[in-house]
């Protein structure tokens, strides 16, 4: 009887449009803020504080970037864990758990002692916290997308699915802006000693806001239908692997371009620009911060295109543009002209906005509701392993061994690979996906 009452209550108390969109946006903003402050610190701070025993700065940076990769390896594990919960007990509770996992891990990073204080235990603890970040983000992203798309009216799923994607550029702006602000108001010595910890610890306030908003939500209408008909899958992970493995593979390959273009334009470009091209940390971060506005602006545009021309046609077109960008990657980045470098960053992040905007909608629509959380989370996070986890390391190796042009070819190859996957995925624009239990 209690279960029936809960169901009835959920049915008569739908989520408001504003609360849904804000909850999906604020959660991913927090998650990506946490993620990006680590990415920035992995390049400019952690090599000095957690890996000083290395014989040269390049080795220390590579070791630091290796801990950056840990989160991407952990993300599919988080996707399977939180996806199981999301497809068994619901989107709301799972989103809260994922946010807490990510937030606690980030705050702990800001409290860690350094190598000089506790030796080899310091980088090990850093790696453990990074693992927690990866687990949390593995369950956060897909849940936020489903929160938006499963509450969306027909004909607006791509538009609703775009809102959690906006959390990425907003989080990046907040992360980069926080480091720039701290650098401007304190000495280099103070920043390296304790100032870098502030963004990590301050993220606790953002997490509290995110939790407050999400705890006020009701279950999504689409998943409520699954609960009402008692169609929950006992082991969603097994169901995805045995019955939807084709979409799992195609979705993973399709999302690779999204990761490669972003991490080459941000993490790799920051490292290369500050170590090889003579830019100061603040100067390059300022360029990236301004260019991120292009990232944010092109996400809504991609949603409009996906609603008008379809998810498939839009994504295929963006992959072609990304492949062409790879051919001019090196000539723009190492031009020696600050304006051209800024144009390079704007172009790369605009392409990122176009490919990132509809990818959440695409990956959610290719799976039925009963395994959608697990399926979309696995595809996105497996793509993170292949497309992002080692992208800065691979790009650095290619650039130092063969030259910067090889990094551009790497991007072109990844774009073509995703293009082929999108060609094999059917168009889902007109599907009634919320009734595919």
């Amino acid at each position: 009887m209690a279960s029936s009452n809960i169901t009835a209550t959920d049915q008569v108390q739908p989520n408001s449009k504003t609360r849904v969109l804000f909850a999906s946006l604020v959660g991913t903003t927090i998650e990506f803020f946490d993620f990006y402050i680590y990415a920035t610190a992995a390049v400019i701070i952690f090599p000095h504080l957690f890996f000083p025993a290395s014989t040269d700065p390049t080795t220390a940076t590579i070791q630091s970037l290796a801990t950056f990769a840990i989160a991407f390896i952990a993300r599919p594990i988080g996707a399977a864990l939180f996806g199981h919960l999301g497809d068994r007990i619901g989107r709301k509770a799972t989103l809260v758990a994922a946010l807490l996992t990510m937030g606690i891990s980030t705050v702990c990073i800001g409290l860690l002692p350094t190598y000089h204080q506790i030796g080899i235990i310091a980088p090990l603890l850093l790696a453990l916290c990074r693992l927690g970040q990866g687990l949390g983000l593995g369950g956060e992203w897909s849940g936020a997308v489903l929160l938006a798309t499963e509450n969306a009216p027909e004909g607006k799923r791509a538009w609703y699915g775009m809102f959690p994607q906006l959390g990425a550029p907003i989080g990046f702006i907040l992360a980069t802006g926080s480091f720039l602000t701290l650098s401007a108001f304190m000495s280099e010595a103070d920043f390296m000693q304790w100032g870098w910890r502030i963004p990590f610890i301050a993220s606790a306030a953002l997490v509290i806001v995110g939790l407050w908003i999400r705890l006020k939500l009701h279950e999504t209408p689409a998943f409520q239908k699954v609960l009402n008909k008692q169609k929950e899958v006992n082991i969603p992970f097994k169901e995805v692997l045995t019955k939807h493995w084709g979409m799992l593979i195609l979705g993973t390959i399709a999302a690779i371009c999204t990761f490669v273009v972003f991490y080459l334009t941000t993490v790799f470009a920051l490292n290369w620009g500050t170590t090889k091209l003579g830019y100061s940390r603040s100067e390059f971060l300022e360029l990236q911060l301004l260019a991120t506005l292009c990232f944010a602006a092109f996400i809504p545009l991609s949603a409009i295109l996906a609603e008008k021309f379809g998810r498939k046609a839009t994504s295929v077109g963006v992959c072609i543009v990304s492949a062409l960008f790879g051919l001019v990657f090196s000539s723009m980045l190492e031009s020696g002209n600050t304006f051209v470098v800024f144009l390079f960053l704007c172009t790369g992040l605009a392409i990122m906005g176009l490919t990132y905007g509809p990818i959440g909608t695409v990956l959610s629509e290719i799976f039925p509701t009963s395994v959608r959380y697990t399926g979309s989370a696995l595809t996105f996070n497996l793509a993170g392993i292949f497309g992002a986890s080692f992208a800065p390391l691979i790009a650095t190796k290619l650039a130092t061994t063969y030259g910067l042009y090889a990094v551009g070819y790497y991007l072109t190859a990844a774009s073509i690979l995703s293009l082929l996957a999108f060609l094999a995925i059917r168009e889902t624009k007109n599907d009634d996906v919320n009734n595919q239990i």
Side-chain angles (χ1 to χ4, degrees), residues 70-400:
I70 289 174
F72 289 96
I73 298 173
R75 282 169 69 163
I77 301 173
L81 172 63
F82 288 109
H84 177 86
L85 296 174
D87 286 327
R88 287 288 298 160
I89 66 175
R91 305 346 187 181
K92 173 184 173 178
T94 305
L95 277 168
V96 170
L99 187 61
L100 277 173
T101 302
M102 182 77 175
I104 292 172
S105 300
T106 303
V107 172
C108 287
I109 291 174
L111 300 174
L112 286 179
T114 64
Y115 185 91
H116 289 300
Q117 294 172 312
I118 60 172
I120 192 65
I121 297 178
L124 293 178
L125 290 175
L126 180 66
L128 181 62
C129 291
R130 183 61 174 165
L131 180 69
Q133 280 193 315
L135 291 174
L137 188 56
E140 161 63 29
W141 176 86
S142 56
V145 170
L146 296 190
L147 176 65
T149 58
E150 290 185 351
N151 280 286
E154 281 302 313
K156 290 189 176 183
R157 287 196 306 270
W159 181 254
Y160 271 56
M162 169 271 298
F163 274 86
Q165 307 298 69
L166 279 175
I170 295 174
F172 185 82
I173 290 171
L174 291 175
T176 305
S178 65
F179 278 110
L180 284 173
T181 301
L182 291 170
S183 297
F185 287 96
M186 62 176 55
S187 66
E188 182 71 14
D190 287 340
F191 177 76
M192 293 299 295
Q193 184 175 4
W194 58 270
W196 66 271
R197 299 178 183 274
I198 295 176
F200 289 93
I201 297 174
S203 67
L206 298 176
V207 171
I208 292 173
V209 173
L211 288 173
W212 177 73
I213 295 170
R214 288 186 170 181
L215 287 171
K216 290 180 174 291
L217 292 171
H218 304 293
E219 190 52 76
T220 69
F223 190 72
Q224 192 61 50
K225 292 179 182 178
V226 173
L227 294 176
N228 293 345
K229 295 183 179 181
Q230 298 184 328
K231 294 291 186 179
E232 307 99 306
V233 176
N234 288 329
I235 309 177
F237 180 77
K238 179 182 177 181
E239 182 91 357
V240 170
L241 292 183
T242 56
K243 296 185 179 181
H244 305 283
W245 59 270
M247 286 299 99
L248 177 65
I249 293 174
L250 288 175
T252 298
I253 297 174
I256 284 178
C257 173
T258 300
F259 284 99
V260 172
V261 68
F262 180 74
Y263 284 97
L264 292 189
T265 311
T266 54
V267 178
F268 168 75
L270 174 62
N271 181 43
W272 196 258
T274 54
T275 60
K276 304 294 183 181
L277 302 181
Y279 289 93
S280 67
R281 181 182 69 227
S282 295
E283 184 180 11
F284 207 87
L285 284 175
E286 287 172 0
L287 293 176
Q288 285 190 328
L289 184 61
L290 291 173
T292 303
L293 297 177
C294 293
F295 183 12
F298 277 77
I299 288 177
L301 176 61
S302 71
I304 294 172
L305 295 174
E307 294 288 18
K308 184 173 183 179
F309 300 107
R311 290 71 157 125
K312 182 173 181 175
T314 299
S315 298
V316 166
V318 176
C319 285
I320 293 173
V321 174
S322 180
L324 294 175
F325 176 60
L327 301 180
V328 298
F329 187 96
S330 61
S331 60
M332 294 183 72
L333 182 55
E334 62 181 357
S335 63
N337 186 309
T338 301
F339 177 76
V340 175
V341 172
F342 177 63
L343 185 61
F344 159 84
L345 295 172
C346 288
T347 303
L349 289 171
I351 293 172
M352 175 59 187
L354 289 172
T355 183
Y356 189 62
I359 195 67
T361 306
V362 171
L363 298 184
S364 67
E365 290 179 342
I366 61 177
F367 294 99
T369 307
S370 56
V371 295
R372 187 173 294 154
Y373 203 128
T374 302
S376 60
L378 282 174
T379 51
F380 187 75
N381 291 298
L382 285 173
I385 288 183
F386 297 113
S389 60
F390 297 104
L393 286 172
I394 293 172
T396 301
K397 183 65 175 178
L398 288 173
T400 53

Side-chain angles (χ1 to χ4, degrees), residues 323 326-330 398 404-416:
L327 301 180
V328 298
F329 187 96
S330 61
L398 288 173
L404 198 58
Y405 72 91
V407 180
Y409 292 160
Y410 171 38
L411 173 57
T412 297
S415 303
I416 293 174

